[in-house]
Amino acid sequence: MCQERIESVGCINSEEIPYIIKKFFKAATITIFAKCSISYSGRASSEAGNAWRLIIIKEDGTVLIHERAGREPINWQPKAFVTSYIEGNSNVVIKAVRSKPREMLQIHITGDAFIAVARLGSGKFVLEGSEESISKELALNPSTVEEGAELVSREVSTPHGRIDLILRSRDGGLIIVEVKRSLADVNAIYQLKRYVDYYKSLGIRARGVIASRKISPSALKLLAKFGFKHVKV
């Protein structure tokens, strides 16, 4: 069964990487262990010198680059168009480009690389427990709410009550999250709207998200009216 999911694995000459990416991009997850440098340009800019790193290219175009420690990647690019080519005599470049917003991540690989290509799947993800435990889990994994989101704070007091979770989206706006253990009803949507309106009154860009296992039909309709989002947990 394992062999049915694995397409390729082993130590290769880095010059083979462009062929492998062209063949398996959008069809399988590609992992590369190699010595590389990184450059990013877009809403900001960054550089990282040569080091051995783990590069992950997912089927949806998400690219992550990890170093030896820490949970977060040193750099990443969500849902990009990924290409690869040989530069000069032997250096290999992996390029991940997004159009909106315009961003480009370039990975320059030197020397041999270890590569594994596999077809991964997706399973149902359900959070169980109290509202507090769900809020803590979302704080540890903000990408569950929105890809690229980062934690700002938990249990934030406002004149309208205490907000369960505040995240910051990749575009810099706030994401106000109201957590419900089971069913989110109309009252939860109105409560979320009061939180969002409060931050908007301060001149801060904000939008709302309800995180719950279920949501009532009337609440879902109200959610759409206010331009909010529901995340099933």
Side-chain angles (χ1 to χ4, degrees):
M1 182 64 69
C2 179
Q3 291 180 342
E4 293 176 2
R5 308 299 297 181
I6 303 296
E7 295 291 342
S8 177
V9 63
C11 191
I12 64 167
N13 187 300
S14 61
E15 292 180 8
E16 297 178 53
I17 291 174
Y19 166 77
I20 291 172
I21 290 178
K22 183 177 181 180
K23 181 178 180 181
F24 292 109
F25 179 56
K26 296 287 188 179
T29 296
I30 304 165
T31 59
I32 303 168
F33 176 64
K35 190 173 185 179
C36 65
S37 61
I38 310 161
S39 64
Y40 163 81
S41 60
R43 291 172 296 173
S45 64
S46 64
E47 301 280 345
N50 264 332
W52 284 93
R53 297 184 173 99
L54 174 64
I55 303 161
I56 303 171
I57 305 172
K58 296 188 176 183
E59 290 183 37
D60 65 352
T62 297
V63 179
L64 305 102
I65 307 166
H66 285 274
E67 293 191 329
R68 64 183 180 86
R71 178 172 61 91
E72 298 294 331
I74 184 176
N75 215 323
W76 74 295
Q77 191 79 292
K79 297 183 179 178
F81 183 73
V82 181
T83 57
S84 181
Y85 56 89
I86 298 173
E87 181 181 65
N89 293 329
S90 59
N91 287 1
V92 170
V93 178
I94 297 174
K95 184 183 291 186
V97 178
R98 293 179 72 199
S99 56
K100 293 182 180 180
R102 180 68 181 179
E103 295 179 300
M104 182 169 64
L105 178 67
Q106 292 190 88
I107 308 165
H108 296 259
I109 297 174
T110 57
D112 293 341
F114 183 87
I115 193 163
V117 180
R119 300 183 189 276
L120 304 182
S122 298
K124 185 178 181 180
F125 178 67
V126 177
L127 291 174
E128 295 184 355
S130 65
E131 288 183 5
E132 183 179 0
S133 64
I134 293 173
S135 179
K136 285 181 179 178
E137 185 65 29
L138 293 176
L140 290 172
N141 300 281
S143 60
T144 303
V145 175
E146 182 174 298
E147 190 171 324
E150 297 179 350
L151 177 65
V152 174
S153 189
R154 292 185 59 236
E155 302 296 325
V156 179
S157 295
T158 75
H160 305 285
R162 184 170 293 180
I163 299 172
D164 293 321
L165 198 64
I166 298 180
L167 308 177
R168 190 177 302 281
S169 66
R170 283 178 64 88
D171 66 7
L174 294 185
I175 304 172
I176 312 300
V177 183
E178 176 75 2
V179 177
K180 293 299 176 186
R181 183 175 181 272
S182 54
L183 180 71
D185 58 13
V186 169
N187 290 331
I189 309 303
Y190 278 118
Q191 182 65 42
L192 178 61
K193 187 175 188 299
R194 284 191 284 271
Y195 294 148
V196 173
D197 287 347
Y198 168 70
Y199 278 96
K200 286 184 176 179
S201 71
L202 300 176
I204 299 171
R205 286 191 299 117
R207 49 193 169 87
V209 170
I210 285 283
S212 67
R213 185 174 299 179
K214 298 178 182 179
I215 184 168
S216 70
S218 55
L220 193 60
K221 189 178 295 184
L222 196 60
L223 201 74
K225 177 182 176 182
F226 294 148
F228 296 162
K229 174 184 171 185
H230 176 243
V231 173
K232 188 174 182 180
V233 295

